[in-house]
Amino acid sequence: PDASMVVPRRSRSTTPLQALNLLNSRFVMQQADHLAKRLQAASDHPSEQVQQAWHLCFQRPPSQQEVAESERFIESHGLQQFARAILNANEFIFIP
């Protein structure tokens, strides 16, 4: 939205460029690396790493489906990419 316009409520404030910046920013990649190292230090088991990630980032336990999908993602792309995805999730970025 145009920040110079005075409106009581803005309907949307994200743009595709904003999302791409969050996904690819050096800061987010660094934080994803820190989160991945923290998860590795907590456990060697992907299911426990997923549980810990959900607890730290979303303050809730993951569903069985979320655990299964996350484990498959970690197996395919690695723990650091999983951490990067978690840090870019709407549930992490936006407060409901």
Side-chain angles (χ1 to χ4, degrees):
D2 182 355
S4 68
M5 298 295 294
V6 177
V7 294
R9 183 172 160 200
R10 299 200 184 276
S11 62
R12 186 177 306 163
S13 66
T14 59
T15 67
L17 293 177
Q18 201 172 9
L20 286 172
N21 184 48
L22 279 173
L23 186 63
N24 296 312
S25 78
R26 191 175 306 177
F27 176 76
V28 171
M29 292 175 121
Q30 180 185 45
Q31 297 309 305
D33 185 51
H34 290 311
L35 177 58
K37 287 177 181 174
R38 183 173 179 176
L39 297 174
Q40 284 174 327
S43 177
D44 291 331
H45 303 286
S47 63
E48 292 176 8
Q49 292 169 340
V50 170
Q51 296 280 344
Q52 181 71 4
W54 246 257
H55 174 72
L56 291 170
C57 295
F58 303 146
Q59 298 297 300
R60 68 171 179 87
S63 68
Q64 290 179 345
Q65 181 179 355
E66 289 168 330
V67 171
E69 290 173 0
S70 296
E71 287 178 353
R72 282 194 299 273
F73 187 93
I74 291 168
E75 186 177 312
S76 297
H77 303 287
L79 189 58
Q80 185 174 10
Q81 292 304 315
F82 169 72
R84 185 176 171 202
I86 287 285
L87 294 178
N88 278 278
N90 277 345
E91 190 171 349
F92 181 77
I93 296 172
F94 295 105
I95 298 172

